[in-house]
Amino acid sequence: MTDTTRAAGAAGGELPRTTDEFTVKERTQTQLVLRRFVRHRAAMASLVVFVLIVLWAFIGPHLWHYSYQKYTPDNSQPPSAKHPFGTNSSGYDAYAQVMRGTQTSLKIAIMIAVGSTLVGAVWGAVAGFYRGVVDAVLMRLSDLVLTLPLLAIALVISARSGGSWYWIALVVAGLTWAYVSRVVRSTVLSLREKEFVEAARALGASDTRIIFRHLLPNSLGPIIVNATILVATGILIETALSFLGFGVQPPDTSLGLLVSQAQTAVDTRPWLFYIPGAFIIAIALTINFIGDGLRDAFDPRQQRVRQ
C-alpha cells in the first residue's frame, strides 16, 4: 500500500477496491458430449478409420478402373501395383470386389442399426411411459422376440428372399429391435418421474408430445450407443449368413460372401481370404471403439464442465 493510499485511508476516505472479474462459460449438453468424445483418443482414431473405410467403399468404385463384375486376363494373380488385392481364379479384380463387398456389408449393417433403433426406441419409450398393462404386454412381446433363434430364422427367410441385401437387413432388424427397447424402457422409467415431465403435463402437453419431445431426446445417449453396437452386430450377422450361403448372392457380393468363396483357397491364394476378413475385423473393432467413446461422452455423472 502506497503512502498516498495510507493518507487517504487515514483521512477517512475509502480505500480503492480492485475487483477481479472472471467469467464462467457454461457449455450446452451437445458441447459437453462432443468435448468428452474428442478427448477419447481410441474413439477418435476409430472414427477417422471408419469414415475412411466408408468413403473408400462408396466413392472408390467410381474412381477405380476395374469393376467388381468385370473379367480380366490376369487369373489368380497375387497383390501387385495393377491389382492391389490380387485376382481370383476367374480373373476378377479383388480390390474392386472388396470395395463392393464392403459397401454392401455397410449398407446392411447401417440399415439394421437404423431400423432396429427406430422401432426399439419407440417401443421401449411407450412401454416405460405408460407402465402397467401396456408395459406388460409390450415387454412380453419384446421378450418373445428375444427368445427367437435369430440366425436360424434369418437363414430361412434370407433363403426365400433370393439373397437381396435389402431383405437380409429387414429380417435381421425385425429380430434385433427388442434389445434396444429394453434399454430405452429402463431409461424412460427413470425419466418419467422427473420435474420437466411433470411441468410438461401441467402445461397440457399430450402423451405423444411428452414421449417424442421430452423423453426420447433425453434418452439419446443410450440410444446412440446401442445403435453403434448394432452396426457391428449387423456386420457380423451378415458375414455369418453369407458364409453359410444364405446371405448376399452372386452376381452381387459382400465381405462375408468373399470370405466364403475364398475358404478353399486359403493355402494357395490367401489374399482372397484374409483381406476381406481383415476389413470385417476392422469395421467391427472401429465401431466398438466408437461405441465406447460415445458411452463415456454421454456419461450422466458428468453434467457440467466449467472452463
Side-chain angles (χ1 to χ4, degrees):
M1 187 179 292
T2 63
D3 295 337
T4 308
T5 306
R6 290 195 188 94
E14 292 186 1
L15 291 175
R17 296 180 181 177
T18 57
T19 57
D20 295 329
E21 294 185 0
F22 62 94
T23 357
V24 177
K25 183 181 178 182
E26 186 176 342
R27 298 183 179 87
T28 64
Q29 185 63 26
T30 303
Q31 291 173 328
L32 296 177
V33 170
L34 287 175
R35 181 185 176 91
R36 290 194 289 263
F37 183 77
V38 169
R39 288 180 172 179
H40 198 293
R41 294 181 181 178
M44 283 300 297
S46 298
L47 180 62
V48 171
V49 172
F50 180 72
V51 169
L52 290 176
I53 291 175
V54 171
L55 293 176
W56 175 78
F58 285 89
I59 299 177
H62 300 289
L63 305 176
W64 189 239
H65 47 272
Y66 290 115
S67 168
Y68 74 98
Q69 292 178 309
K70 182 181 178 181
Y71 289 102
T72 70
D74 308 317
N75 297 340
S76 300
Q77 293 295 311
S80 63
K82 186 178 180 181
H83 302 286
F85 292 170
T87 61
N88 62 15
S89 58
S90 301
Y92 286 114
D93 179 67
Y95 188 81
Q97 289 212 314
V98 172
M99 279 194 292
R100 175 64 180 183
T102 304
Q103 182 185 131
T104 304
S105 295
L106 284 172
K107 287 192 292 187
I108 293 173
I110 291 171
M111 186 172 174
I112 289 171
V114 172
S116 299
T117 301
L118 289 177
V119 175
V122 175
W123 192 281
V126 171
F129 179 76
Y130 286 108
R131 296 192 301 185
V133 177
V134 175
D135 181 29
V137 172
L138 293 181
M139 284 300 101
R140 295 303 73 76
L141 290 174
S142 177
D143 292 340
L144 177 62
V145 173
L146 288 173
T147 61
L148 297 175
L150 188 152
L151 197 59
I153 294 176
L155 283 172
V156 174
I157 299 179
S158 297
R160 295 176 177 272
S161 68
S164 168
W165 72 266
Y166 178 84
W167 280 105
I168 293 172
L170 201 61
V171 168
V172 177
L175 295 170
T176 53
W177 60 266
Y179 296 97
V180 182
S181 70
R182 298 193 68 83
V183 174
V184 175
R185 172 186 174 269
S186 62
T187 305
V188 169
L189 281 173
S190 62
L191 288 175
R192 72 185 302 277
E193 306 299 334
K194 299 292 184 181
E195 291 80 1
F196 67 89
V197 176
E198 296 297 331
R201 282 200 190 98
L203 292 172
S206 63
D207 291 349
T208 304
R209 183 178 178 83
I210 292 174
I211 291 172
F212 287 95
R213 293 296 299 273
H214 299 284
L215 294 177
L216 282 176
N218 282 281
S219 307
L220 200 57
I223 291 173
I224 292 177
V225 171
N226 276 273
T228 59
I229 294 172
L230 282 170
V231 174
T233 303
I235 285 282
L236 298 176
I237 292 175
E238 182 279 322
T239 300
L241 290 173
S242 297
F243 189 82
L244 294 172
F246 294 94
V248 176
Q249 299 296 320
D252 204 352
T253 190
S254 69
L255 292 176
L257 181 59
L258 290 174
V259 170
S260 175
Q261 291 173 335
Q263 59 181 318
T264 57
V266 177
D267 296 327
T268 56
R269 288 158 292 164
W271 58 87
L272 297 177
F273 181 86
Y274 289 112
I275 291 177
F279 273 88
I280 293 171
I281 295 171
I283 294 171
L285 282 179
T286 53
I287 289 296
N288 282 328
F289 280 124
I290 292 170
D292 288 341
L294 288 171
R295 187 181 297 111
D296 293 343
F298 282 103
D299 187 358
R301 292 171 296 179
Q302 303 180 54
Q303 292 296 325
R304 187 178 296 269
V305 174
R306 295 183 180 274
Q307 187 176 23

